[in-house]
Amino acid sequence: MKKYVFIFMLMFLAACQTSQFSISELEVVPKKVQERIDEYAKLQILNTKGNVFYIVYSSTANVEADLELNGTTLIVKLDEQEEQNTERKHVFKVTKNI
């Protein structure tokens, strides 16, 4: 089981530190997101207008995601579970709930 942790310094966090964030894996990826996915990238962040961004992670395993807010830093934890036969793109939607 591999664990990946990466940190994002998000500019909009400084404006409202009490906001809550949520993350969910998408089963149906919006067309506007599909069009921006780099098929060769292992890890990708897609920013959108507003309070949403997307994380795209390529893996041959099932992936669970979790968030942690530490001051003005949002920590995204990706935990690879059981291996599968083929690599696929996991698309996670991160939302800032105001």
Side-chain angles (χ1 to χ4, degrees):
M1 177 173 18
K2 297 178 186 176
K3 289 188 179 187
Y4 291 90
V5 177
F6 53 100
I7 300 173
F8 296 99
M9 300 299 286
L10 300 174
M11 297 302 288
F12 60 89
L13 281 176
C16 187
Q17 294 182 12
T18 59
S19 295
Q20 298 295 315
F21 288 84
S22 61
I23 188 167
S24 59
E25 185 168 7
L26 300 179
E27 292 190 25
V28 178
V29 180
K31 186 176 180 179
K32 67 179 181 179
V33 175
Q34 288 178 10
E35 293 170 349
R36 295 177 57 199
I37 292 176
D38 179 350
E39 66 181 282
Y40 301 106
K42 176 83 173 164
L43 178 66
Q44 186 177 9
I45 302 168
L46 302 174
N47 292 316
T48 62
K49 295 180 181 178
N51 299 321
V52 174
F53 67 93
Y54 298 89
I55 298 170
V56 182
Y57 181 64
S58 294
S59 177
T60 57
N62 292 331
V63 179
E64 290 186 11
D66 193 21
L67 299 175
E68 180 181 318
L69 186 59
N70 185 356
T72 59
T73 304
L74 181 63
I75 301 169
V76 179
K77 299 177 182 180
L78 298 178
D79 186 11
E80 291 184 327
Q81 302 292 316
E82 52 191 78
E83 291 286 325
Q84 304 296 315
N85 292 332
T86 58
E87 183 171 88
R88 72 178 190 95
K89 299 282 186 186
H90 298 269
V91 180
F92 297 94
K93 180 179 181 180
V94 180
T95 305
K96 179 181 178 186
N97 305 315
I98 299 177

